[in-house]
Amino acid sequence: MAKPLIMLGAGGHAAVLAEILLQQDRELIAVVSPEPIKESSPLFGVTQIISDEEFLTIYSPQDVELVNGVGSIPKNNIRSQLLTFFTEKGYRFARVISPKAILSNFLTLEEGVQIMPGAIIQVNTVVGKNSIINTGAIVEHDCTIGINNHIAPGVTLSGGVITGSDVHVGTGANIIQGIHIGQAAVVGAGTTISRNVPAGQVLIPARSRVIS
Amino acid sequence: MAKPLIMLGAGGHAAVLAEILLQQDRELIAVVSPEPIKESSPLFGVTQIISDEEFLTIYSPQDVELVNGVGSIPKNNIRSQLLTFFTEKGYRFARVISPKAILSNFLTLEEGVQIMPGAIIQVNTVVGKNSIINTGAIVEHDCTIGINNHIAPGVTLSGGVITGSDVHVGTGANIIQGIHIGQAAVVGAGTTISRNVPAGQVLIPARSRVIS
Amino acid sequence: MAKPLIMLGAGGHAAVLAEILLQQDRELIAVVSPEPIKESSPLFGVTQIISDEEFLTIYSPQDVELVNGVGSIPKNNIRSQLLTFFTEKGYRFARVISPKAILSNFLTLEEGVQIMPGAIIQVNTVVGKNSIINTGAIVEHDCTIGINNHIAPGVTLSGGVITGSDVHVGTGANIIQGIHIGQAAVVGAGTTISRNVPAGQVLIPARSRVIS
């Protein structure tokens, strides 16, 4: 039977996740956040735990599963640190998959994967642990997405794209078929990628033009 | 009870709106347009009124609600002028929200807002009066869209984007998180925005390259 | 009554098509491919025919309809050659239209058209023979797409775009309203088009910038 869930974080990404969980009638019993929860958030009214330390004194890995509610920003690794910290203590991370995503029946979605509304993932794709396929992103057939990736809203990955761990593909970026993106690379918002990207490289689009 | 609707305009944008209204079995009793209605349009066969003046002699603000069927083009303000003209005379504009859009339950959608098929709007976003979220556009959590905006097809707005009034974000443009777009700015089709845009500024992408 | 279907090809594009056909309970009786079918493919287990020549000795045009499972790559015309070759022998190509696409009721979709999951096509648009509207692509109202086109994943075509035959619009490209794209032109992935494109022209975006 599914264990009750604990949300780590209470910002915008956590709010989107919480709304999916509500739609699915999943049991979200607490949120861990030091800051007050906004009244406008789906998390408002959920029992609040102030710190990771307090959380650890209340719930054991046998009692609950975690939801990683921390969003992903390039060059900031709080999200992946949470995965490591709690995994070492024996906790498991639940997958959160929007019923409004369009998913092939031939996918591998690893632990803690988050698939947001309107995302589309085609046949024979693998999404690695703790990765986010964000709102309306398209991941074509035969892709392999590494762990701790953020495929941001509106991204399009063509068929056969392979990414290393800790890759960020920013809002609305496009990658053509068969490209490899190296570990911890950052494909900036709106960038089009048509060659392989080495590990750690950061790319952004050409400068736009101000015409008046 | 919902009042019967009158469509202002009979072009492509009005046709898309009319198809949504038909799907929802809403009562569309007339279309105001000086030009003949194309046989291929969902508006074909609806009672035609030739001018705004003729319309005003037939229907009072108590009888009907209006649908703003005029599309939005940068630097052309017929659409917002219609809002002002008819609002001053006491008419109200109906919202048109496609059942094929994906909408959070935590939104504020003001009078006359139009949400087209496949659009996605996430938690805690506000869309201002008379604004269009067009086909397949993505608006992430915590955005505030001003009045008379056109968020064109295929656009992606990341979390926390704020726009002034009369902003145009063109086809397929991308805006990263937390950006402010000033009043009457034009983000040209395909532009990626990663800094705030002052009021009235017009931006377009870098020139593409002809390679053969 | 619908005839049983034969898939030509067994790569990634064919796999996506096969999954749509499975969802629709359509009768797919064989796949033509010289290479072994991957176990991870929805085509695994379907009767395999090794060559077009073998196929021609088994099934007549009265018995079956074909599905063009060969994907479309710029400047490679195997896909359109298959259409010509089998059409001259009297075979017909089935349309494959994902139930997860969002389609106007006012469309003309010619023989062999393929509409992938999450694609959106608005009112009064025509899609020519053998053309693909790929995953999540947006085609606005009043477009006319020629034959043998590939509108790749994540593309956005604004209203009234007209394309010639054999046009490729690459992943995530954007075209503004009313543009004409000439025969056999290639709009590279991520390119934004705001002027007409002559026949045969190949365009790509401005070079991206490596910032670290």
Side-chain angles (χ1 to χ4, degrees), chain B residues 150-207:
Chain B
H150 183 204
I151 308 301
V155 164
T156 305
L157 307 186
S158 306
V161 168
I162 297 175
T163 67
S165 61
D166 303 293
V167 164
H168 179 91
V169 183
T171 298
N174 301 302
I175 304 182
I176 72 164
Q177 61 277 0
I179 293 294
H180 290 226
I181 308 288
Q183 190 261 330
V186 176
V187 175
T191 311
T192 297
I193 302 294
S194 53
R195 58 160 182 79
N196 292 339
V197 174
Q201 193 168 79
V202 180
L203 286 153
I204 60 173
R207 215 176 294 280

Side-chain angles (χ1 to χ4, degrees), chain C residues 49-128:
Chain C
I49 297 170
I50 295 305
S51 68
D52 294 350
E53 293 66 32
E54 188 191 347
F55 165 76
L56 291 171
T57 67
I58 309 180
Y59 294 108
S60 80
Q62 285 67 50
D63 299 331
V64 295
E65 283 197 327
L66 303 178
V67 176
N68 199 339
V70 174
S72 177
I73 294 167
K75 304 296 179 191
N76 170 329
N77 53 11
I78 294 177
R79 182 178 166 86
S80 62
Q81 285 171 353
L82 283 176
L83 175 72
T84 304
F85 179 81
F86 285 104
T87 298
E88 284 173 355
K89 296 195 165 5
Y91 293 89
R92 296 270 303 171
F93 282 79
R95 294 184 298 173
V96 181
I97 296 170
S98 169
K100 293 174 180 169
I102 300 179
L103 302 182
S104 167
N105 287 317
F106 296 80
L107 300 180
T108 303
L109 304 177
E110 295 183 355
E111 181 188 344
V113 161
Q114 300 173 340
I115 317 280
M116 300 313 229
I120 310 176
I121 312 181
Q122 295 284 30
V123 60
N124 202 29
T125 278
V126 177
V127 182

